[in-house]
Amino acid sequence: MDRRTLAGGLGGLALVIAAVVALRTGDAPDTLKREIADVVQVVDQQEPGKPTNARAQALDADALQIAWNGSASAYEVRWNGNEQLVPGPEVEIPGLSPDAEVQVEIRAVSATGKRSEPLKIAATPKDLYNDKWDDQLVGQVDKFDGPEALDPRKWRVESDEECLGLRPFGPSKRIDVDCPMAAFQSNTPIRFGVPATDGATGRAIISVAGAVESSHVRLTLLPDPWQYLNETDVQPRGAVSLDITTQGTRIVADPDLPRTGKQVQLGDAPLTGLVAGVRHRWEMRVLPDAVLALRDGVVVAYEPVALKEPLVHPRVRIDGGGFLDAFGVGGVPERAVPTEVIPILTDTEVPQDAVAAKIVAPEAGNQVRVADVPIRPGKIVAAHPARLVVIRKPESRPGALPKLTDRPGGIKTGGPRLHVMHEDGTKPPQPLPRTGRILVTAEVNAIGHRGIELELDGKRIVALPTNEQGAGVPGRHEFWLDAKNLGSASHARLKLSVLPADQGEPVTTETVFELG
């Protein structure tokens, strides 16, 4: 999939069918002339409605999160002379002065670039920021804010090196994940202790943002020795996870854990999942008889189970992209144990500076086998997928982690998409009838474009400007084709082109469908 950086998203449902005549939208060099072939009817789009119910909060003293209600294709946010397009009803503005009031305007934007009247809100970051969230944490909070953020004494990483980088975030940076899967294993365990004032015996907190519509973050508490094995889709024995998607948040527990019947009242949260480009703080709070999920301090999910092990090892997994902001744990203070996990090859040996080593291997029945290894010269004999776990001398340096290079900010998403369906409900790969009408849906994921073009069997049938009142945003365009005018061929080919504002190369996609 062609992944591109943008600040936009999908949306904008078409409402009423209308016949269209060709017209001009202006005489500027980048203006696209609107042209619609006679065989095409454009489905008119609803005018963008003014957003409502603006609200603000702050995860940092120099940043604001603004949320609102609305259902537009995208939104234009303006503040302090800045402007940003975002895919949904939420934005985060970093790099602000803590003491200065910020005036923010939000406008809904349609797929053709029309803007609504603005919704206005004013807020001061320091008035909304509450630093009490980390009172129950132990040790230093990990801030993933630079090239040395992934300290190899505290973290092990499972991912392709090129998929990790640094993205701008106000005057600072954060770790950007741009790959199908990346796992971050903490070398600092959580030891459960006496319940705190909120009832928790231990906790893990992560601040993270999504990247795309399908982003998925999972924070898992692993009992020993599961922390030494590679990440899999199978829930390890005795583990419990905080599972976060763009759709919501839930707790997933090993079904063999004891059920307690605990009942927990959920809080009032309009949204409970990941948001592309906007951080939220999730807490996994472990009680003696339940595990809770909190989003920005509000309980959004729970599971009535009791963890058996007194000590667990947190692991963060990110699927589909996102960016890491911060991580912390609470419970009884525990030191990090710099641990390396080495795949066993034919020539693998225990390092000379090791003080302890063992072989860990998965076994059938969701089990793990562990065997100590003598600290002496000689090759390790073990079959794949066994792994060598090494703890080196305190003065030794653990293995290096991936180098983090700078990347642009923004929200990542895919290229344009085309969908075809006959008015009777028939969809490819079934042949479409040659009578009646065919609905063509063009989903555009780019930002800043000036228009789209649609071709049928090499002939342009639609030229549609998308920047009527400003930069084009992601959105959905729908067209009806008269099936009887598609010719006598057995197949038809549609091509969608998204025309960038800078006159660069269009981004295209095609689809071929059969005619009955």
Side-chain angles (χ1 to χ4, degrees), residues 30 54 151 166 310 313 406:
D30 63 346
D151 184 346
L166 292 171
H313 303 264
D406 289 343

Side-chain angles (χ1 to χ4, degrees), residues 430-441:
Q430 299 298 318
L432 271 57
R434 290 184 177 273
T435 59
R437 298 180 303 171
I438 295 172
L439 180 65
V440 177
T441 302

